């Protein structure tokens, strides 16, 4: 009987141990803390390629200059990082530092209490006046997120194709339409490669057709919206945009452009490092302006933030100040990954001034549009992306696309608190 | 009826039959051994299910995913079910299930019939099928994405016979069928192996008796083999529908629910709501609605399993 009771207790103990991970007593695989007199800061990053190399270089330099601090870079998956960050608040394991996609993540992460308030650090930061308002992401008057460099959209064109037809790079959407008509008329070349995916990417690529007319997510309605969707519908019907663009992400559309078949592409400055490999002459220009409006795009890029539950926020700020926000860090990021430095004292960097291809993106960075500050910003963008994809593919007419985008964006904004 | 038990027999009985207390201990032991498995099942299946259900009757977004969840009853269900999107997604999911049923049952039966004959070629084909079945959907899905691209190999092949390129994944009228076709391709090996096992279990004497009675090949297939395979086909059909209702990976890789909303099935809608738009409650509600469909289908499956066992 005693043996039986002992066995029963042992089995219950085994079961309890099996259940331990579910009790919230999560075992952090990357705790920050002190070991061997060193302090380890955990940094979650989804950077890949050149950006990852840049970050690793900055971390290495910082560790050399601060031998008592280790930075533990943890690689995450970009489109899953928000979920992980939100979950980390529940388990008390937010990283000390992390990057985030300002286009999608900021309102969600602030609302989810993932980000530490950086206001005291920012107020004491000597170089804060070098950063424009667009680089300092705030909510309720508090600073949470900093953007050291920006990524923006522009237009790439195949100079060989344009020369063949004697076309100048278009500066307005009307000129763009004429150029597309000319280059696709004889069926030799394709028109425009862009992402029309039913996601934030499709929205990000389409939004500039309205931003320059003063229409953004906060006033997304009216005849200008309908006209923009009808133009998209007409371009798709005429074959200026391929049907498959309805599912292309930005990388897929870029791969199509570098085949040399397409006259134009809408894409970001992060492709500047790749366009040199194209087997044709190319050029860059700002995103064509809507008629009667100006060329304006949303600013993109990665914000840098400190985790709300970081045990070493001062050291995390020290890392941001010494390794991320400096002019040197901005210049290196531009040289390795093409991101446009945002500091005022970086505008005259020779690397930027001497590069004709980057100038349209620098010009775009001087007057970017403003993102809404609404926790449902991601949903608003997805709604627009779905409508864009539906119109390009022929699932919806231009008018239907405009109607669904207007109504879905309005309801998402309202659910998100209604503010912008 | 009375029985006379000898002393020796009584002793033997006493030796063979444990004491009542010992019997109880032995009877209780298996349940004790089940505890760890039960604990893991509760932790990793029942508890998440409970959280999902709780989320579907609460107001949960990014602001309160950590913290208090306000109970709002069936409000989420009212909102989700009153919109057209969930019904369109359910219809698309049902169409995918129909394609999979046709593929798994008809093509699966044909393939199993061919592969029921042993030999080197059969073994090679079975090996390839198991390889296809074991491929991660992310990998095979990415390959299919390239093959079905407008300038992909599939259009290249049909172009050889003068057919114009087809927008397999970007045409709203074709995309769902194209993705369903890929899902069917991936699940065909499983159904073939199941049905092949069922075919090999049919006694050869029955087939021989039918032949002696003058039944031809097709008559034997339809009047002898198929009725004997009916329990296997029934279970396979239910598993196929369940698979269709939880199929997400190929849709995610190939179209992400696009173009527009053309391939938005219930799992895709649930994922997008919860993890793209951070409407956790809506995502959970769509998942529960999808789960209810699955439960309705799973009940006959469990019953048929029980009847199989009792037979």
């Amino acid at each position: 009987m005693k043996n039986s009771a002992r066995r029963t207790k042992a089995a219950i103990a085994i079961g309890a141990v099996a259940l331990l991970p579910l009790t919230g007593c999560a075992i952090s695989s990357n705790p920050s803390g002190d070991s061997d007199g060193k302090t380890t800061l955990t940094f979650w990053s989804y950077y890949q390629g050149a950006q990852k190399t840049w970050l690793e270089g900055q971390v290495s330099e910082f560790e050399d200059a601060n031998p008592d601090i280790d930075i533990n870079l943890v690689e995450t998956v970009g489109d899953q990082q928000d979920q992980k960050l939100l979950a980390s608040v529940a388990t008390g394991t937010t990283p000390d530092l992390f990057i985030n996609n300002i286009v999608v993540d900021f309102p969600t992460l602030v609302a989810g209490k993932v980000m530490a308030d950086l206001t005291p650090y920012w107020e004491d930061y000597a170089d804060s006046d070098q950063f424009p308002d667009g680089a300092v992401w705030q909510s309720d008057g508090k600073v949470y997120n900093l953007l050291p460099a920006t990524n923006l959209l522009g237009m790439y064109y195949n100079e060989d194709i344009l020369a063949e037809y004697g076309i100048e790079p278009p500066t307005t959407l009307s000129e763009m339409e004429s150029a597309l008509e000319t280059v696709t008329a004889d069926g030799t070349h394709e028109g425009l490669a862009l992402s029309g995916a039913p996601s934030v990417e499709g929205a990000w690529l389409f939004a500039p057709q309205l931003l320059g007319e003063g229409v953004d997510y906060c006033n997304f309605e009216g005849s200008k919206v309908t006209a923009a969707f009808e133009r998209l519908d007409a371009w798709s019907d005429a074959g200026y945009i391929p049907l498959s663009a309805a599912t292309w992400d930005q990388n897929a559309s870029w791969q199509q452009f570098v085949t040399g078949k397409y006259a134009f592409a809408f894409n970001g400055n992060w492709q500047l490092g790749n366009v040199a490999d194209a087997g044709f002459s190319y050029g860059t220009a700002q995103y064509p302006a809507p008629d009667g409006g100006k060329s304006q795009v949303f600013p993109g890029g990665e914000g840098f933030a400190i985790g709300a539950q970081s045990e070493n926020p001062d050291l995390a700020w020290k890392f941001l100040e010494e390794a991320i926000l400096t002019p040197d860090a901005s210049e290196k990021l531009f040289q390795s990954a093409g991101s446009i430095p945002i500091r005022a004292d970086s505008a005259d960097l020779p690397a930027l001034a001497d590069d004709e291809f980057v100038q349209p993106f620098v010009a775009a960075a001087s007057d970017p549009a403003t993102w809404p500050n609404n926790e449902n910003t991601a949903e608003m963008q997805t709604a627009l992306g779905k409508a864009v994809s539906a119109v390009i593919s022929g699932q919806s007419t231009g008018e239907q696309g405009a109607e669904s985008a207007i109504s879905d964006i309005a309801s998402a904004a309202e659910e998100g608190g209604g503010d912008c | 009826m009375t029985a006379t038990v000898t002393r020796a027999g009584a002793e033997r009985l006493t030796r063979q039959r444990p004491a009542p207390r010992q019997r109880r201990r032995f009877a209780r032991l298996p349940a004790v051994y089940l505890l760890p498995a039960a604990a893991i099942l509760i932790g990793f299946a029942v508890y998440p299910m409970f959280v999902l259900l709780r989320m579907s009757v609460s107001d949960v977004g990014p602001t309160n995913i950590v913290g208090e969840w306000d109970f709002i009853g069936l409000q989420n269900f009212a909102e989700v079910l009153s919109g057209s999107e969930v019904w369109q997604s359910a219809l698309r999911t049902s169409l995918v299930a129909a394609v999979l049923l046709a593929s798994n049952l008809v093509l699966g039966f044909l393939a199993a019939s061919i592969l029921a004959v042993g030999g080197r070629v059969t073994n090679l084909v079975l090996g390839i099928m198991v390889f296809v079945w074991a491929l991660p959907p992310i990998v095979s899905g990415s390959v299919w994405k390239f093959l079905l691209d407008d300038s992909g190999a599939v259009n290249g092949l049909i172009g050889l016979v003068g057919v114009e390129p087809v927008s397999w994944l970007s045409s709203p009228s074709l995309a769902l069928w194209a993705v369903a076709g890929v899902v069917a391709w991936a699940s065909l090996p499983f159904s073939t192996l199941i049905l092949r096992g069922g075919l090999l279990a049919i006694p050869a004497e029955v087939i021989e008796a039918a032949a002696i009675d003058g039944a031809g090949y097709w008559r034997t297939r339809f009047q002898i083999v198929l009725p004997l395979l009916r329990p296997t086909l029934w279970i396979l059909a239910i598993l196929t529908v369940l698979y269709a209702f939880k199929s997400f990976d190929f849709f995610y890789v190939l179209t992400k629910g696009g173009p527009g909303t053309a391939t938005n099935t219930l799992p895709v809608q649930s994922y997008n709501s919860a993890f793209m738009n951070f409407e956790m409650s809506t995502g959970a509600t769509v998942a529960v609605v999808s789960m209810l469909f699955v439960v309705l289908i799973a009940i006959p499956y469990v019953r048929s399993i029980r009847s199989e066992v009792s037979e």
Side-chain angles (χ1 to χ4, degrees):
Chain A
M1 180 70 185
K2 272 185 182 175
N3 283 347
S4 164
R6 206 176 296 143
R7 270 196 297 268
T8 307
K9 283 176 185 170
I12 290 169
I14 291 165
V17 169
L19 275 173
L20 247 184
L22 307 168
T23 62
C25 308
I27 298 160
S28 173
S29 60
N30 48 11
S32 66
D34 301 339
S35 61
D36 308 328
K38 281 190 171 188
T39 304
T40 301
L41 300 178
T42 306
F43 190 138
W44 286 9
S45 162
Y46 52 80
Y47 272 161
Q48 293 293 325
Q51 291 172 308
K52 184 182 170 186
T53 307
W54 167 80
L55 183 59
E56 286 169 347
Q58 297 306 108
V59 164
S60 179
E61 278 184 26
F62 179 80
E63 286 177 337
D64 289 345
N66 299 275
D68 56 339
I69 304 173
D70 268 347
I71 306 290
N72 175 26
L73 272 178
V74 178
E75 197 168 318
T76 58
V77 178
D79 62 3
Q80 292 172 13
Q81 180 161 287
D82 275 5
Q83 297 95 291
K84 283 174 69 73
L85 284 166
L86 290 167
S88 75
V89 176
T91 54
T93 55
T94 53
D96 297 290
L97 292 149
F98 60 91
I99 56 170
N100 57 94
N101 179 357
I102 55 162
V103 174
V104 184
D105 305 340
F106 179 71
T108 303
L109 296 177
V110 167
K113 298 180 177 58
V114 179
M115 295 171 155
D117 178 7
L118 305 182
T119 313
Y121 299 112
W122 188 248
E123 285 172 348
D124 292 343
Y125 179 47
D127 283 2
S128 61
D129 58 344
Q130 293 289 340
F131 289 82
D133 290 346
V136 186
W137 285 66
Q138 303 187 44
S139 180
D140 295 332
K142 292 176 180 173
V143 177
Y144 288 99
N145 207 20
L146 297 167
L147 188 72
T150 186
N151 288 323
L152 306 104
L153 289 174
M155 183 177 71
Y156 291 81
Y157 55 89
N158 184 321
E159 214 163 26
D160 295 341
I161 295 176
L162 266 60
E164 188 180 329
Y165 295 95
I167 298 170
E168 286 296 309
T171 58
T172 67
L173 290 171
S174 287
E175 289 175 15
M176 182 88 189
E177 190 164 324
S178 302
L180 287 168
E181 187 179 2
T182 305
V183 298
T184 57
D186 60 6
T188 314
H189 304 292
E190 301 285 347
L192 172 64
L194 85 168
S195 167
S199 64
V200 293
E201 290 191 72
W204 159 252
L205 267 292
F206 178 73
Q209 303 208 9
L210 286 160
L211 291 173
E213 290 190 290
V215 178
D216 60 21
Y217 287 106
C218 301
N219 60 351
F220 199 88
E221 60 189 1
S223 58
K224 288 176 180 174
V225 174
T226 308
F229 270 97
E230 282 175 342
R231 178 175 52 235
L232 184 72
D233 194 11
W235 286 14
S236 176
D237 283 348
Y240 304 159
I241 299 172
L243 205 61
S244 46
T247 54
W248 282 349
D249 59 20
Q250 288 171 106
N251 283 335
S253 71
W254 181 256
Q255 285 158 9
Q256 294 292 330
F257 177 67
V258 293
T259 60
K261 291 188 296 184
Y262 284 82
F264 301 100
F266 290 157
N267 220 300
N269 51 278
W270 56 90
Q271 304 290 11
L272 286 168
N274 304 319
V275 72
D277 299 331
F280 52 82
S281 302
Y282 60 87
T284 60
Q286 282 190 260
Y287 196 109
D291 293 356
K294 60 179 178 178
S295 174
Q296 192 174 47
V297 297
F298 276 124
E302 268 66 40
F304 285 72
I306 294 175
Q309 295 164 345
S310 169
E311 292 172 4
N312 297 291
D314 293 353
L315 294 181
W317 173 258
K318 182 180 171 72
F319 175 79
L320 291 183
E321 192 174 352
E322 293 178 14
I324 303 297
L325 300 175
T326 62
D328 177 63
S330 294
E331 186 173 5
K332 283 179 180 166
L333 182 56
F334 167 70
Q335 286 171 333
S336 63
S339 295
I340 311 297
I342 218 162
R343 287 182 62 118
D345 53 8
S346 296
D348 300 326
L349 283 172
L352 264 78
D354 298 345
D355 189 336
E356 62 173 308
F357 298 116
V358 82
Q359 284 307 310
F361 298 99
V362 173
S366 67
D367 181 28
T370 306
W371 284 105
N373 185 10
N374 183 300
E375 71 175 67
N376 271 2
T377 300
E379 194 180 341
M380 291 188 233
Q381 291 180 80
T382 306
L384 179 56
K386 276 183 183 173
V388 166
S389 177
V391 170
I392 292 175
S393 69
Q395 190 187 24
S396 304
T397 63
E399 194 177 353
Q400 289 167 337
E403 277 174 19
S404 75
I406 288 168
S407 105
D408 291 351
I409 287 169
S411 66
E414 193 179 337
E415 280 175 27
D419 53 334
C420 249
Chain B
M1 179 180 158
T2 56
T4 315
V5 182
T6 63
R7 186 175 169 181
E11 282 173 1
R12 200 166 46 243
L13 273 175
T14 310
R15 272 202 305 273
Q16 284 172 349
R17 200 182 288 172
R21 187 180 294 174
Q22 204 180 351
R23 267 210 315 275
R24 277 202 303 275
R25 203 174 69 203
F26 279 130
R28 210 171 44 220
L29 265 179
V32 171
Y33 291 132
L34 279 174
L35 259 177
I40 287 168
L41 187 70
I42 289 166
F44 290 100
V46 178
Y47 177 69
M49 199 83 76
F50 167 73
V51 173
L52 182 80
L53 288 168
R54 201 176 142 228
M55 202 178 256
S56 70
V57 292
S58 308
D59 182 17
V60 187
T63 50
N64 68 333
I65 182 80
V66 180
E68 291 299 309
W69 293 359
D70 295 331
F71 178 78
I72 56 170
L74 296 178
Q75 198 177 308
N76 289 324
F77 288 89
E79 277 176 26
V80 165
L81 296 174
S82 63
S84 61
E85 196 179 358
V86 75
W87 298 109
Q88 288 169 356
S89 298
L91 175 64
R92 291 186 199 107
T93 314
S94 303
L95 290 174
V96 172
V99 169
L100 290 187
L101 279 171
S103 163
N104 281 354
L105 298 185
V106 179
L107 296 180
F109 178 68
L110 290 174
S113 300
I114 295 165
L115 294 171
V117 182
R120 279 186 185 176
V121 176
T122 295
N123 291 338
L124 178 71
V125 172
L126 284 173
I128 293 168
M129 284 188 126
V130 169
F131 174 75
V132 165
W133 182 44
L135 269 178
I138 296 290
V139 175
S140 50
S142 299
V143 172
W144 275 107
K145 191 170 185 173
F146 282 108
L147 292 174
L148 294 171
D149 188 71
D150 285 14
S151 53
V154 173
N155 278 339
L157 278 174
I158 63 173
L160 293 176
V161 291
V163 180
E164 287 291 304
V166 178
S167 298
W168 300 104
L169 297 176
S170 46
S171 161
S173 54
L174 271 180
L176 185 70
W177 305 111
V179 182
V182 173
V183 179
W185 166 86
S187 65
L188 188 60
F190 173 75
S191 59
T192 303
L193 292 170
I194 294 283
L195 290 172
R196 182 176 178 268
L199 283 172
L200 293 176
I202 295 172
E205 296 85 353
V206 177
I207 310 293
E208 285 164 10
I212 289 164
D213 288 343
Y217 178 81
W218 290 112
R219 195 169 176 190
T220 306
R221 293 279 109 188
F222 287 114
Q223 295 196 337
I224 307 293
V225 172
L226 270 180
L228 288 171
L229 264 187
R230 197 168 50 198
T232 310
L233 286 167
W234 172 233
I235 288 170
L236 180 65
I238 290 163
L239 285 176
T240 297
V241 175
L242 295 181
Y243 179 66
F245 270 82
K246 72 178 184 69
S247 190
F248 167 77
D249 30 31
F250 282 109
F251 287 88
Y252 182 76
V253 174
L254 289 167
T255 59
K256 285 195 165 66
T261 54
T263 56
N264 236 5
T265 55
L266 286 171
V268 175
Q269 192 189 334
S270 176
Y271 175 86
N272 284 341
S273 297
F275 299 118
M276 293 288 128
N277 299 339
F278 300 103
E279 291 182 316
M280 281 59 174
S281 290
T282 308
T285 306
V286 174
V288 170
V289 168
S290 185
M291 210 168 64
L292 289 174
F293 278 106
V294 168
V295 165
L296 287 173
I297 294 158
I299 288 168
Y301 170 66
V302 173
R303 288 169 66 111
S304 58
I305 289 281
R306 277 187 183 162
S307 65
E308 288 284 300
V309 169
S310 63
E311 281 168 21

